[in-house]
Amino acid sequence: IDGVIRIHWSAAINDEWTRNAAAKTRGVPAGIQRRLQGMIGAVPDWEVSHYDRFIDAFAGVDAGDRHVSAAALALQEREGHEVVLVTENLKHFPLTEMSRLGVQPMSSSEYLHRLFDEDGVAVLRVAEACRTKLRAPPRTAPAPHFAPSPSRRSTASIATVS
């Protein structure tokens, strides 16, 4: 997103989150599909595939989530750099198991803090761009209440789960 992060996920993750969203919210399938199509349209190179060969490498990861870990590892192999797996379900992705293979699981809050520490100005720029796209209701920009850190390291890829 605007050079700050690159978001990737698999078709299996799409199936999982749309199925869970429909069950949790009693959501209208058309609305969920619209959201999915919006995500896919916003991130043209979203899909991680050819990850099945890595599933068995994550024996210590919850069996139902190994496909997510495997997709993150396949992405790391494809992109050639660090991958952060962002999830609120950290208990299913043990740090020792994941870091052994070079994939770092983080909560969305922890990841956002990391991004802000690395390049707060870019994070604010992306947040403002997202805010201006909100349509219902339109949002106005609040005055900033903090100063970004001057650190400028790069985190290039991210695998997400819900």
Side-chain angles (χ1 to χ4, degrees), residues 12-71:
I13 292 170
N14 273 347
D15 294 343
E16 184 176 355
W17 84 258
T18 55
R19 185 177 57 253
N20 290 341
K24 285 181 183 177
T25 64
R26 294 180 181 79
V28 178
I32 294 169
Q33 286 305 310
R34 254 191 325 275
R35 179 172 290 170
L36 175 58
Q37 292 311 309
M39 290 168 50
I40 289 170
V43 185
D45 65 341
W46 65 272
E47 188 168 13
V48 178
S49 56
H50 309 295
Y51 57 85
D52 292 345
R53 68 188 185 279
F54 295 122
I55 289 176
D56 292 337
F58 291 96
V61 171
D62 182 85
D65 289 321
R66 288 183 190 152
H67 69 100
V68 177
S69 301

Side-chain angles (χ1 to χ4, degrees), residues 71-90:
L73 189 56
L75 177 63
Q76 179 179 291
E77 180 183 77
R78 182 179 89 190
E79 300 288 317
H81 52 71
E82 176 187 26
V83 170
V84 176
L85 189 150
V86 179
T87 179
E88 298 311 310
N89 190 13
L90 291 170

Side-chain angles (χ1 to χ4, degrees), residues 32-156:
I32 294 169
Q33 286 305 310
R34 254 191 325 275
R35 179 172 290 170
L36 175 58
Q37 292 311 309
M39 290 168 50
I40 289 170
V43 185
D45 65 341
W46 65 272
E47 188 168 13
V48 178
S49 56
H50 309 295
Y51 57 85
D52 292 345
R53 68 188 185 279
F54 295 122
I55 289 176
D56 292 337
F58 291 96
V61 171
D62 182 85
D65 289 321
R66 288 183 190 152
H67 69 100
V68 177
S69 301
L73 189 56
L75 177 63
Q76 179 179 291
E77 180 183 77
R78 182 179 89 190
E79 300 288 317
H81 52 71
E82 176 187 26
V83 170
V84 176
L85 189 150
V86 179
T87 179
E88 298 311 310
N89 190 13
L90 291 170
K91 68 180 183 226
H92 284 193
F93 301 95
L95 183 59
T96 53
E97 178 77 11
M98 300 296 290
S99 57
R100 177 178 63 82
L101 294 167
V103 176
Q104 186 175 5
M106 279 187 196
S107 69
S108 57
S109 174
E110 181 181 10
Y111 188 68
L112 187 57
H113 282 282
R114 175 180 166 174
L115 288 176
F116 194 80
D117 286 345
E118 290 174 358
D119 192 347
V121 171
V123 171
L124 291 174
R125 186 180 66 245
V126 169
E128 174 62 12
C130 291
R131 183 203 58 79
T132 62
K133 292 178 183 179
L134 295 174
R135 295 180 301 194
R139 306 285 187 204
T140 57
H145 297 284
F146 46 82
S149 163
S151 175
R152 296 190 58 98
R153 291 168 292 170
S154 173
T155 301

